[in-house]
Amino acid sequence: MDLKSLKVLFDDDSLKRAVAMRAPLQSKGWLLHFERRAGGLAVMGTVRDPETGKIFRSLDAAATAAADVGFAEMQVKILEKQQEGIDPDDFELKAQ
């Protein structure tokens, strides 16, 4: 989904939160998706193809994109090599 469409959804209060997670099959990179209040996900897409998920090289870049949509906070999901006693839902990165 393109940035303009995501901003409209944010302004309509249709998005619940922004979540960054490791891009599948990538050693580095992050996908940014947004949970919809009505259920389901909206994924930030590339400029050429808004339906293809954009891969951000850093969490900072993903946080900047989440802030561009309108979010003040972004949740980070760490899916690989979870250590005992650490809950990935406890980690948040605030966009500035």
Side-chain angles (χ1 to χ4, degrees), residues 16-92:
K16 189 168 36 172
R17 66 179 159 178
V19 180
M21 61 184 294
R22 289 259 182 220
L25 305 175
Q26 300 275 332
S27 61
K28 295 183 179 181
W30 298 86
L31 288 175
L32 180 60
H33 68 264
F34 303 89
E35 293 180 9
R36 295 176 182 241
R37 292 201 185 278
L41 299 174
V43 177
M44 179 168 274
T46 64
V47 174
R48 286 188 179 173
D49 184 8
E51 300 301 317
T52 301
K54 180 176 182 176
I55 297 176
F56 295 90
R57 291 185 180 183
S58 68
L59 281 175
D60 188 44
T64 299
D68 289 345
V69 172
F71 283 92
E73 295 181 357
M74 176 184 78
Q75 184 177 16
V76 177
K77 294 259 185 185
I78 303 168
L79 299 177
E80 57 187 13
K81 296 185 182 178
Q82 295 180 6
Q83 295 179 2
E84 228 175 276
I86 297 176
D87 184 1
D89 291 332
D90 292 341
F91 294 93
E92 288 187 359

